Amino acid sequence: MLSDLDQIRQKALHALESIQDETSLEAFRIAYLGRSSPLMQVFDQLGKLAREERPAIGRRANEVKQALEAAFSTRSDTLRQAALLRSLQTERLDVTLPGRVLPLGRLHPATISLRAIVRAFADMGFQVYRSPEVETDEYNFGLLNMPPDHPARDMWDTFYTSMPEVSLRPHTSPGQIHVMRQYAPEPIRAILPGMCYRYEQINARKETQFNQLEVLAVGKNITLGDLKGTVSDFARRLFGQNIRTRFRASYFPFTEPSAEYDFECLLCNGKGCTVCAWTGWLEIGGCGMVHPIVLQNGGYDPAKFSGFAAGLGTERIMMLKHRIEDIRYFWSNDLRFLEQF
Ligand code: DAH
């Protein structure tokens, strides 16, 4: 019996040496230390042995059991250490690697353009006034000196709604009436930015929605000279001291006299290029002295007050400045376009 135990010990220690992973280690535990292992069977049979044999066998069996348990736990530690070392080497984390750059949000080019324009006017004392995108026919046209059936209404391809009289604004000019009615008879220096809508055949130059910015000044003794000075100064604030501007006679029902204004081509400095069609000039917007009927509709006595107004497309400024050839880029949500600004 004693030699059996020594054999068990020898065999087990030998088997343990070649164990390299957790699974075989567990198999070893069951085979040599488990309930039905030969060693445990020795313990089971102790009672059947002769009384004088029992102490010596029992002691030896305990020694073997302790030796195996100790060897088992040493092996188990060694294996765990080795596994840890392996994972540290294979899954190594290099904390000195530079982090991944998170994509930063940015302003939409239409917003960039709008803010630059607003800043230029704000520096000249103009305040921003917001007016509705959904308007009545009266505000869109009637109060702007275009009664129903006025032929000039054809200049705006308007989106009408299923509600009679209600349409999307095709320009920011109806805001002139809102701001005048709110402030009359106080003097006004306001800009009115915002989205406008037109029933257009969409192409590279026309979209069904776009931003406009309306300029309105009302007060005593406001002259055409103030209009020209303000528009020219705006051009200089936005594009530098040397930019030239020009005014061409035009027609709008809500201004008298009316004009269109051009800035010297931003891309060729007036020399002539494809963008300005070799004229050296870029058409920016319309303007004029507020028509007496419009002043009156706004609550101002045209005998005492006068005013000037102007309008411009804010995306258009950005297109001219950056040679953007297609207005559809602005609202098509293409990051390749948006991320260039
Ligand atoms: N509302 C006009 C348009 O959309 C632009 C315009 C012209 C605005 C003359 C004005 C103005 O304030 O005086 O075509």
Side-chain angles (χ1 to χ4, degrees), residues 159-265:
F159 279 115
Y160 293 92
T161 70
S162 49
M163 287 166 80
E165 301 296 309
V166 177
S167 50
L168 301 184
R169 68 173 174 197
H171 55 169
T172 44
S173 300
Q176 289 186 28
I177 305 290
H178 287 290
V179 67
M180 280 194 279
R181 288 190 168 177
Q182 182 168 341
Y183 288 103
E186 296 296 319
I188 291 171
R189 250 188 282 177
I191 45 175
L192 300 92
M195 195 60 87
C196 299
Y197 304 87
R198 287 190 199 172
Y199 182 57
E200 299 279 9
Q201 175 83 51
I202 297 175
N203 61 31
R205 313 198 68 225
K206 285 179 175 169
E207 254 287 16
T208 51
Q209 66 175 81
F210 52 92
N211 281 293
Q212 268 196 353
L213 182 119
E214 194 81 8
V215 187
L216 178 71
V218 177
K220 288 180 175 159
N221 304 317
I222 288 186
T223 66
L224 189 69
D226 296 317
L227 167 62
K228 285 192 77 172
T230 305
V231 170
S232 305
D233 200 31
F234 163 64
R236 288 192 289 267
R237 283 171 189 271
L238 207 58
F239 297 117
Q241 282 305 310
N242 296 326
I243 192 162
R244 292 186 302 157
T245 51
R246 74 174 183 187
F247 292 76
R248 288 175 287 110
S250 184
Y251 168 74
F252 297 99
F254 33 90
T255 42
E256 182 59 40
S258 303
E260 276 168 75
Y261 56 96
D262 301 338
F263 291 175
E264 190 177 35
C265 181

Side-chain angles (χ1 to χ4, degrees), residues 26-158:
E26 177 62 9
F28 168 87
R29 194 191 59 74
I30 293 166
Y32 290 96
L33 289 162
R35 279 249 38 106
S36 43
S37 58
L39 178 59
M40 291 304 156
Q41 274 160 19
V42 171
F43 281 105
D44 287 346
Q45 285 159 20
L46 274 182
K48 291 180 202 150
L49 291 177
R51 175 173 293 201
E52 59 279 13
E53 275 183 323
R54 262 184 237 161
I57 305 265
R59 207 176 310 119
R60 180 67 56 85
N62 266 322
E63 279 167 21
V64 172
K65 184 167 174 249
Q66 275 160 19
L68 292 194
E69 279 172 354
F72 171 84
S73 96
T74 312
R75 188 79 202 159
S76 165
D77 286 351
T78 315
L79 285 184
R80 214 169 306 127
Q81 283 291 332
L84 178 64
L85 208 66
R86 220 177 306 121
S87 86
L88 280 177
Q89 272 164 1
T90 56
E91 298 156 28
R92 186 185 310 182
L93 184 67
D94 184 354
V95 291
T96 66
L97 273 178
R100 266 174 229 152
V101 182
L102 288 177
L104 275 185
R106 65 185 75 215
L107 292 178
H108 191 281
T111 309
I112 296 173
S113 177
L114 183 61
R115 289 201 180 169
I117 296 167
V118 167
R119 208 173 305 123
F121 277 106
D123 288 346
M124 293 189 280
F126 284 78
Q127 290 188 322
V128 175
Y129 186 93
R130 305 304 296 256
S131 73
E133 291 179 22
V134 178
E135 283 285 14
T136 57
D137 193 73
E138 197 187 14
Y139 271 89
N140 275 336
F141 302 113
L143 294 166
L144 293 172
N145 198 27
M146 281 177 276
D149 303 319
H150 192 293
R153 286 187 176 212
D154 288 352
M155 285 160 64
W156 295 272
D157 298 302
T158 307

Side-chain angles (χ1 to χ4, degrees), residues 279-316:
T279 62
W281 295 98
L282 295 170
E283 209 179 296
I284 302 294
C287 63
M289 299 306 289
V290 182
H291 196 287
I293 290 179
V294 176
L295 279 176
Q296 207 160 30
N297 291 340
Y300 289 85
D301 177 356
K304 293 190 189 135
F305 288 88
S306 57
F308 68 75
L312 58 91
T314 59
E315 281 89 57
R316 200 170 145 65

